[in-house]
Amino acid sequence: MIKPKPILIASGILVLIGIAITAYQSQITSENLSNQQNTLGIGTQMIVTKEMNPDNNQKGVYSIQITDFKSDDNVKAIVTDPTGTSIITNSVTKSPIQDTFKISSSGNYTLQIENHGQREIQVLGIIGYYPQNIELADISGFIALLIGLSGLAVGMMYLIRNRVRS
């Protein structure tokens, strides 16, 4: 006869480990990003800045999400380096968008979002380091959660089966 208590305890521990790994991964990712959410009126702009160093990571990322995006919205994104030189200039044609850029020198990198459309829009702008080597934490957290939840299901089945028999 299989005892369900050790299965349930081990599975519960695996679920907690999976949650902890996922929370740690999320914290690491969000620490390396700077974000701002604003309502942009017609003809206005917002700026999101992040101090970055190529010694930490040479790959940067920016992302823009527009709530209730419409195809006739006219939004422009500009990423500039610490010298003020424009690295990327894009028209936002969908939401969300994400793109990477090279971090070449140390200093403040800026994401400028301009609304040239005919209506007010709600925008979330994000700029920062592109997450590196996060795949291992992502996969291991998912596997720990999957095994833990499967173990909890098996343990509960044995617990119910043993209770019905006795």
Side-chain angles (χ1 to χ4, degrees):
M1 184 163 105
I2 296 176
K3 296 190 179 201
K5 280 188 181 178
I7 295 172
L8 291 172
I9 291 170
S11 299
I13 290 170
L14 279 173
V15 168
L16 291 176
I17 289 171
I19 291 170
I21 291 171
T22 304
Y24 175 72
Q25 176 221 1
S26 177
Q27 180 183 359
I28 293 293
T29 302
S30 64
E31 281 178 358
N32 292 322
L33 299 173
S34 180
N35 64 54
Q36 183 177 345
Q37 186 167 353
N38 261 339
T39 301
L40 292 181
I42 300 167
T44 60
Q45 68 180 12
M46 74 179 233
I47 295 175
V48 185
T49 61
K50 174 75 175 165
E51 186 167 332
M52 294 191 258
N53 186 340
D55 295 337
N56 296 343
N57 187 345
Q58 292 186 352
K59 197 172 185 183
V61 66
Y62 77 92
S63 180
I64 298 171
Q65 182 174 352
I66 301 170
T67 305
D68 192 28
F69 180 79
K70 294 190 167 101
S71 60
D72 62 340
D73 286 341
N74 186 359
V75 179
K76 187 176 181 183
I78 303 167
V79 177
T80 56
D81 67 10
T83 64
T85 306
S86 177
I87 302 171
I88 296 173
T89 302
N90 276 344
S91 289
V92 179
T93 57
K94 63 179 182 169
S95 178
I97 72 161
Q98 178 177 312
D99 200 5
T100 59
F101 58 91
K102 186 175 192 238
I103 300 171
S104 55
S105 60
S106 188
N108 281 331
Y109 284 76
T110 304
L111 169 62
Q112 181 176 325
I113 304 167
E114 302 173 350
N115 180 10
H116 299 289
Q118 300 301 315
R119 67 182 188 103
E120 191 174 80
I121 55 172
Q122 184 76 24
V123 178
L124 171 64
I126 301 169
I127 189 168
Y129 293 110
Y130 189 80
Q132 276 184 216
N133 304 325
I134 205 92
E135 295 84 16
L136 181 62
D138 194 25
I139 291 170
S140 62
F142 177 74
I143 289 172
L145 278 171
L146 189 64
I147 293 171
L149 290 173
S150 298
L152 284 174
V154 169
M156 290 302 290
M157 286 189 312
Y158 278 118
L159 183 68
I160 292 169
R161 188 171 156 205
N162 289 345
R163 296 259 168 122
V164 168
R165 284 186 178 173
S166 60

